[in-house]
Amino acid sequence: MLQGMASVFTKIIAGELPGRFVWADDEVVAFLTIAPVAPGHTLVVPRAEVDHWQAVESGLFTRCAAVAQHIGRAVTAAFDAPRAGMLIAGFEVPHLHLHVFPAADMSGFDLSIADPNAPAEVMDDAAARIRAALREQGHGATVADA
Protein backbone atom coordinates (compact mmCIF):
# COMPACT_ATOMS: atom_id res chain seq x y z
CA MET A 1 0.00 0.00 0.00
CA LEU A 2 1.05 3.55 -0.54
CA GLN A 3 2.69 5.14 2.50
CA GLY A 4 1.51 2.22 4.66
CA MET A 5 -2.03 3.59 4.88
CA ALA A 6 -4.94 1.19 5.00
CA SER A 7 -7.18 1.26 1.94
CA VAL A 8 -10.82 2.27 2.30
CA PHE A 9 -11.66 -1.40 1.66
CA THR A 10 -9.43 -2.51 4.55
CA LYS A 11 -11.30 -0.04 6.75
CA ILE A 12 -14.65 -1.45 5.57
CA ILE A 13 -13.44 -5.02 6.18
CA ALA A 14 -12.24 -4.03 9.67
CA GLY A 15 -15.61 -2.45 10.48
CA GLU A 16 -14.15 1.06 10.72
CA LEU A 17 -16.41 2.15 7.85
CA PRO A 18 -19.89 0.77 7.09
CA GLY A 19 -20.42 -1.83 4.40
CA ARG A 20 -23.32 -3.94 3.12
CA PHE A 21 -21.59 -7.31 3.25
CA VAL A 22 -23.07 -10.32 1.47
CA TRP A 23 -20.10 -12.73 1.74
CA ALA A 24 -17.30 -13.21 4.25
CA ASP A 25 -14.74 -15.99 4.53
CA ASP A 26 -11.16 -16.17 5.76
CA GLU A 27 -9.66 -14.78 2.53
CA VAL A 28 -12.35 -12.88 0.65
CA VAL A 29 -15.32 -10.63 1.36
CA ALA A 30 -18.03 -9.20 -0.87
CA PHE A 31 -20.04 -6.07 -0.22
CA LEU A 32 -22.20 -3.73 -2.24
CA THR A 33 -20.48 -0.78 -3.86
CA ILE A 34 -21.61 2.67 -2.78
CA ALA A 35 -21.95 3.66 -6.47
CA PRO A 36 -23.76 0.86 -8.31
CA VAL A 37 -24.27 0.58 -12.07
CA ALA A 38 -27.35 -1.51 -11.18
CA PRO A 39 -29.03 -2.71 -7.97
CA GLY A 40 -26.96 -5.64 -6.72
CA HIS A 41 -23.58 -4.30 -7.92
CA THR A 42 -21.17 -6.08 -5.58
CA LEU A 43 -17.42 -5.84 -5.01
CA VAL A 44 -15.44 -9.02 -4.34
CA VAL A 45 -12.35 -8.05 -2.34
CA PRO A 46 -9.48 -10.06 -0.85
CA ARG A 47 -8.83 -9.31 2.80
CA ALA A 48 -5.14 -8.92 1.93
CA GLU A 49 -4.21 -5.50 0.58
CA VAL A 50 -3.03 -6.09 -2.96
CA ASP A 51 -3.32 -3.25 -5.45
CA HIS A 52 -2.94 -4.73 -8.94
CA TRP A 53 -4.78 -7.93 -9.88
CA GLN A 54 -1.77 -9.19 -11.76
CA ALA A 55 0.34 -8.92 -8.58
CA VAL A 56 -1.93 -11.05 -6.37
CA GLU A 57 -0.83 -14.58 -5.51
CA SER A 58 -2.52 -16.92 -8.00
CA GLY A 59 -4.30 -19.00 -5.35
CA LEU A 60 -5.89 -15.89 -3.83
CA PHE A 61 -6.89 -14.63 -7.27
CA THR A 62 -8.49 -18.00 -7.97
CA ARG A 63 -10.40 -17.71 -4.69
CA CYS A 64 -11.59 -14.19 -5.61
CA ALA A 65 -12.76 -15.49 -9.00
CA ALA A 66 -14.61 -18.39 -7.37
CA VAL A 67 -16.40 -16.04 -4.97
CA ALA A 68 -17.20 -13.75 -7.91
CA GLN A 69 -18.85 -16.74 -9.65
CA HIS A 70 -21.00 -17.39 -6.58
CA ILE A 71 -21.96 -13.71 -6.39
CA GLY A 72 -22.65 -13.70 -10.13
CA ARG A 73 -25.04 -16.63 -9.79
CA ALA A 74 -26.73 -14.90 -6.86
CA VAL A 75 -27.21 -11.55 -8.62
CA THR A 76 -28.60 -13.17 -11.76
CA ALA A 77 -31.08 -15.11 -9.61
CA ALA A 78 -31.93 -12.23 -7.27
CA PHE A 79 -32.50 -9.70 -10.05
CA ASP A 80 -33.73 -12.04 -12.81
CA ALA A 81 -30.87 -10.89 -15.03
CA PRO A 82 -29.82 -12.73 -18.18
CA ARG A 83 -26.13 -12.28 -17.30
CA ALA A 84 -23.79 -11.21 -14.55
CA GLY A 85 -21.05 -8.84 -15.57
CA MET A 86 -17.58 -8.78 -14.05
CA LEU A 87 -14.96 -6.07 -14.35
CA ILE A 88 -11.59 -5.35 -12.81
CA ALA A 89 -10.67 -1.69 -13.13
CA GLY A 90 -8.81 -0.69 -9.98
CA PHE A 91 -8.59 3.06 -10.49
CA GLU A 92 -10.98 4.02 -7.70
CA VAL A 93 -9.33 2.24 -4.76
CA PRO A 94 -5.78 0.79 -4.72
CA HIS A 95 -7.01 -2.57 -3.37
CA LEU A 96 -7.94 -5.39 -5.73
CA HIS A 97 -11.70 -5.65 -6.28
CA LEU A 98 -13.87 -7.45 -8.79
CA HIS A 99 -17.07 -5.66 -9.78
CA VAL A 100 -19.95 -8.16 -10.17
CA PHE A 101 -23.37 -6.91 -11.25
CA PRO A 102 -26.58 -8.05 -12.91
CA ALA A 103 -26.50 -7.17 -16.61
CA ALA A 104 -29.14 -7.09 -19.32
CA ASP A 105 -26.81 -5.55 -21.92
CA MET A 106 -23.39 -3.92 -22.28
CA SER A 107 -24.43 -0.61 -20.70
CA GLY A 108 -23.69 -1.92 -17.21
CA PHE A 109 -20.05 -2.41 -18.13
CA ASP A 110 -19.56 1.37 -18.13
CA LEU A 111 -18.59 2.37 -14.59
CA SER A 112 -19.11 6.03 -15.47
CA ILE A 113 -22.88 5.40 -15.20
CA ALA A 114 -22.57 4.39 -11.54
CA ASP A 115 -25.02 6.11 -9.20
CA PRO A 116 -23.26 7.55 -6.13
CA ASN A 117 -26.66 8.54 -4.72
CA ALA A 118 -28.46 5.20 -4.78
CA PRO A 119 -31.16 5.25 -2.06
CA ALA A 120 -30.29 3.35 1.12
CA GLU A 121 -33.51 1.33 0.96
CA VAL A 122 -32.65 0.15 -2.58
CA MET A 123 -29.17 -0.83 -1.43
CA ASP A 124 -30.45 -2.63 1.69
CA ASP A 125 -33.02 -4.51 -0.41
CA ALA A 126 -30.35 -5.52 -2.94
CA ALA A 127 -28.08 -6.85 -0.19
CA ALA A 128 -30.94 -8.83 1.36
CA ARG A 129 -31.85 -10.32 -2.02
CA ILE A 130 -28.26 -11.38 -2.72
CA ARG A 131 -27.89 -12.92 0.76
CA ALA A 132 -31.14 -14.85 0.26
CA ALA A 133 -29.99 -16.11 -3.17
CA LEU A 134 -26.60 -17.17 -1.76
CA ARG A 135 -28.32 -19.09 1.04
CA GLU A 136 -30.67 -20.73 -1.45
CA GLN A 137 -27.64 -21.78 -3.50
CA GLY A 138 -26.05 -23.50 -0.50
CA HIS A 139 -23.62 -20.84 0.71
CA GLY A 140 -25.23 -20.10 4.07
CA ALA A 141 -22.00 -20.59 5.99
CA THR A 142 -20.32 -17.71 4.16
CA VAL A 143 -23.27 -15.33 3.87
CA ALA A 144 -22.48 -12.23 5.86
CA ASP A 145 -24.89 -11.02 8.50
CA ALA A 146 -26.92 -7.94 7.63
Side-chain angles (χ1 to χ4, degrees):
M1 282 301 313
L2 303 173
Q3 294 119 13
M5 294 184 63
S7 78
V8 66
F9 291 161
T10 297
K11 292 177 180 182
I12 292 169
I13 292 166
E16 296 171 22
L17 293 173
R20 288 179 177 88
F21 287 85
V22 297
W23 182 282
D25 67 30
D26 290 343
E27 294 182 296
V28 179
V29 299
F31 49 85
L32 270 64
T33 179
I34 59 169
V37 296
H41 183 167
T42 303
L43 303 178
V44 176
V45 183
R47 290 181 181 274
E49 283 190 4
V50 179
D51 185 355
H52 299 278
W53 64 268
Q54 63 273 40
V56 71
E57 187 271 318
S58 62
L60 181 55
F61 188 69
T62 299
R63 182 71 190 138
C64 289
V67 172
Q69 278 188 313
H70 299 315
I71 300 299
R73 289 183 194 112
V75 300
T76 52
F79 297 95
D80 195 27
R83 300 257 180 207
M86 187 179 83
L87 287 171
I88 302 172
F91 291 101
E92 311 87 7
V93 177
H95 189 147
L96 172 63
H97 54 290
L98 288 67
H99 295 260
V100 180
F101 48 91
D105 55 45
M106 289 299 294
S107 66
F109 288 79
D110 180 1
L111 296 178
S112 72
I113 69 166
D115 179 6
N117 300 307
E121 56 274 7
V122 171
M123 301 288 285
D124 291 342
D125 176 67
R129 290 169 70 172
I130 294 167
R131 288 184 202 108
L134 285 166
R135 285 187 190 99
E136 190 173 294
Q137 294 170 4
H139 301 292
T142 52
V143 173
D145 295 328

